[in-house]
Amino acid sequence: PEATLDHVSPAIAIPYGCRDADGTHRLLPEYSRRIDQLGLRAAYELELATYPLLDRIQQIGIKPDLDHFRGLSDLLAYEIGNLQTQLEQQTGRVGFNANSGDQVAAYIFGTLNLEELKQTSSGRGSTNDKILEALEREHPEHPVLSTIRTYRETYKLKNTFVDRLPDFVHRWPFDGRIHTTLRTTRVVTGRLAASDPNLLAQPEHGKFASEFKRGWICEPGHVICQWDESQVELRGLAHLSQDPVLLAVYRGEARNPDGSLIDLHAKLAQRIFGGPIEQYMHKCAGRLAAKAINFGIPMGLTCRGLSVELRKNGVEADEDTAQKWLDETLGLYTGVAAFMERQKKEARDNGFIRCMSGRIRYIGGIRSKDDRTREEAERFSFSTPVQESATLIMKQAEKIVWEDVLPYFWKRGHYVEPLIQIHDCLKLEAEDGLQDELDVFMREAMTNVPISFSVPLDVAGEWGYNMADVVEFAS
């Protein structure tokens, strides 16, 4: 198919490309004026500063172990078979097709008689992933909803990702590596998006995450190194809300009676469940609940979402209990509660909110009379700036990596190349033996970004010969 310019003849591609470039050049003065009017100049310039690194990522590509992925394909096929059997047992219908929107709609809106949240253009109830996820939160008494979603996710991983990897490897430049396409304009918070293939969609957690990661390898004599901004969204929340508890914990000012640093999840668990804080310093139901709440707050966590998330971790809590725990959380994080209200007011007053970088997000539905629409808009009003703060930190780090870290090693003739950025983690491939020196430079780049931030940043680093079997850096 003639999908991109490299698939069409030069006689067509050259005039098209020239017209495209000319039109863009003519629009530049008007768009530049509007960027300044909206106060987006700094955000725009930072965005451009990250493009050389992203372009390098696309050029270098990433190496898959195709034999490993063929084995993973077989494993996924077996899992799909098990899920199909489970679906037939739950629905009582032989040959039930979870990928058929008509069949799924007929069952969940007809047989189960659940409420349609949205309709398709043809007039039937929508069963897309977001709708199913919402229904799953609202109706935990119907486990078939979770099975349908899991089936679709597993089927998609196998058929649209794993099984297609050889096709991507056998494309230009035919170097045995996969070259994804990155974009920064698809996500409202500025996060990266990827396509052909979407390497950002591979599972980071869950049943098959390790097997996926094990399939990404490096060239002989090289290592894969990765650095992750630790709890960066919670640190962003601490900065934006100026919450006393979050600030004290991340500044290292909050301590236990014995002088040790207070653990954020343990502190919240103690607030909710009572008892000595020591009992929550290790994995337990209370700590799992507190961890789910802490990491869910920047995403606009609801009592329904918390209830579902806790059940995934083996903690039973109905929506009333989950709401009680969320209320206790905001009783501890009083600064966060005040920040949420400020953001809602800003969105209602202006119709948009402005993030740390100056980026604007328009909040549609903030004045809606429909409770569901309005509540979702309110969540966006405070979750967006928190998530954008993490994006801003990563973009500043990318700029430093491109301008300072990589040239330092390149000038000395070393192989160090960027592989991919997934959320708050940056992955590089380097010569074996450079990892410790590289770790020093990367930690400096990712913790000392030129942003006035209320709490220090922390970076966790690992290295290995694939993305699953990794060890932590000694530092």
Side-chain angles (χ1 to χ4, degrees):
E2 295 181 352
T4 57
L5 282 180
D6 58 335
H7 290 96
V8 301
S9 69
I12 297 174
I14 291 173
Y16 174 87
C18 290
R19 287 195 300 271
D20 201 24
D22 179 63
T24 303
H25 182 71
R26 289 169 186 261
L27 290 169
L28 179 60
E30 173 60 21
Y31 280 125
S32 183
R33 181 181 65 82
R34 291 176 64 182
I35 285 171
D36 289 330
Q37 283 181 340
L38 292 170
L40 295 171
R41 177 61 59 182
Y44 171 71
E45 291 180 350
L46 177 60
E47 199 78 13
L48 292 184
T50 65
Y51 282 8
L53 180 71
L54 301 182
D55 184 59
R56 188 76 172 190
I57 288 173
Q58 293 178 136
Q59 291 179 30
I60 295 300
I62 187 168
K63 186 174 183 178
D65 181 344
L66 293 183
D67 288 337
H68 175 84
F69 279 115
R70 275 190 284 270
L72 180 56
S73 178
D74 294 338
L75 183 62
L76 290 171
Y78 179 77
E79 180 70 9
I80 290 169
N82 289 339
L83 289 168
Q84 180 63 39
T85 300
Q86 189 175 343
L87 278 172
E88 293 177 356
Q89 292 172 346
Q90 290 174 331
T91 62
R93 301 184 180 186
V94 177
F96 182 82
N97 184 1
N99 287 322
S100 168
D102 290 337
Q103 284 193 36
V104 173
Y107 181 76
I108 64 177
F109 302 129
T111 304
L112 298 183
N113 200 30
L114 302 185
E115 178 188 0
E116 294 181 5
L117 304 182
K118 184 180 179 182
Q119 288 192 335
T120 65
S121 57
S122 64
R124 71 160 170 79
S126 173
T127 63
N128 66 33
D129 290 343
K130 288 187 177 180
I131 296 296
L132 283 177
E133 188 173 1
L135 289 171
E136 182 184 349
R137 288 197 301 266
E138 294 181 6
H139 300 281
E141 71 275 15
H142 294 303
V144 66
L145 298 171
S146 175
T147 309
I148 292 171
R149 278 210 316 126
T150 303
Y151 179 96
R152 285 182 173 182
E153 290 171 358
T154 309
Y155 185 92
K156 184 177 179 180
L157 286 173
K158 179 184 184 301
N159 292 278
T160 68
F161 193 89
V162 174
D163 290 353
R164 291 192 62 203
L165 289 180
D167 297 335
F168 292 112
V169 169
H170 298 146
R171 291 182 181 180
W172 186 89
F174 312 110
D175 57 0
R177 300 170 78 92
I178 291 177
H179 302 264
T180 191
T181 299
L182 299 174
R183 293 182 175 88
T184 63
T185 55
R186 294 291 180 90
V187 184
V188 292
T189 60
R191 280 190 180 273
L192 277 181
S195 59
D196 296 325
N198 182 5
L199 293 180
L200 307 185
Q202 56 186 306
E204 283 292 303
H205 307 285
K207 190 171 184 178
F208 298 103
S210 291
E211 288 305 309
F212 266 83
K213 293 177 183 178
R214 193 165 287 112
W216 302 110
I217 59 177
C218 54
E219 299 291 347
H222 290 180
V223 292
I224 294 175
C225 305
Q226 53 194 43
W227 294 268
D228 188 16
E229 291 278 8
S230 177
Q231 299 184 6
V232 65
E233 288 179 341
L234 278 173
R235 294 171 193 270
L237 180 61
H239 171 78
L240 292 167
S241 68
Q242 292 294 294
D243 182 86
V245 173
L246 292 177
L247 290 175
V249 167
Y250 285 119
R251 288 171 175 171
E253 298 167 354
R255 295 185 177 271
N256 293 308
D258 62 1
S260 60
L261 291 175
I262 283 181
D263 177 277
L264 191 64
H265 306 319
K267 185 173 181 64
L268 178 57
Q270 183 189 39
R271 163 81 184 196
I272 294 175
F273 304 111
I277 196 171
E278 291 77 15
Q279 71 186 72
Y280 304 113
M281 296 298 289
H282 304 287
K283 187 175 180 179
C284 63
R287 181 179 177 84
L288 286 173
K291 189 174 181 179
I293 295 172
N294 276 330
F295 285 125
I297 288 176
M299 308 301 292
L301 186 70
T302 65
C303 63
R304 294 170 182 167
L306 176 58
S307 179
V308 172
E309 188 64 30
L310 290 176
R311 284 198 300 274
K312 291 178 182 177
N313 288 284
V315 180
E316 288 298 325
D318 58 25
E319 290 184 19
D320 290 339
T321 302
Q323 185 60 57
K324 178 183 176 183
W325 292 351
L326 286 174
D327 292 340
E328 285 288 343
T329 300
L330 294 182
L332 176 63
Y333 301 143
T334 55
V336 171
F339 168 70
M340 288 179 173
E341 294 306 314
R342 288 198 304 273
Q343 291 302 118
K344 294 176 188 177
K345 183 178 186 304
E346 180 183 346
R348 283 194 297 267
D349 291 347
N350 303 326
F352 65 85
I353 52 96
R354 189 178 289 273
C355 303
M356 276 183 65
S357 69
R359 185 186 294 269
I360 292 172
R361 179 175 187 181
Y362 293 94
I363 308 292
I366 191 67
R367 303 186 188 97
S368 174
K369 294 181 180 180
D370 179 71
D371 290 344
R372 190 191 302 273
T373 301
R374 187 182 63 257
E375 289 169 2
E376 182 178 47
E378 288 175 347
R379 288 196 296 273
F380 286 151
S381 72
F382 64 80
S383 65
T384 297
V386 176
Q387 294 171 46
E388 195 270 352
S389 69
T391 302
L392 174 61
I393 288 169
M394 287 304 298
K395 289 183 184 295
Q396 292 281 10
E398 289 169 15
K399 182 174 182 289
I400 297 171
V401 168
W402 177 255
E403 294 178 352
D404 298 333
V405 178
L406 294 178
Y408 174 85
F409 289 94
W410 289 344
K411 287 176 182 177
R412 286 155 180 76
H414 294 302
Y415 183 96
V416 178
E417 294 289 358
L419 290 180
I420 193 71
Q421 182 212 318
I422 300 179
H423 305 309
D424 308 316
C425 182
L426 189 58
K427 304 175 188 286
L428 275 62
E429 183 174 346
E431 296 171 19
D432 197 352
L434 283 182
Q435 50 264 47
D436 288 334
E437 184 181 9
L438 186 58
D439 181 50
V440 174
F441 280 80
M442 289 298 295
R443 287 179 186 275
E444 176 72 17
M446 296 179 70
T447 57
N448 291 297
V449 295
I451 301 175
S452 178
F453 215 57
S454 302
V455 296
L457 298 174
D458 187 37
V459 173
E462 299 172 320
W463 69 273
Y465 300 104
N466 61 60
M467 289 190 182
D469 303 322
V470 295
V471 296
E472 293 183 5
F473 284 104
S475 54

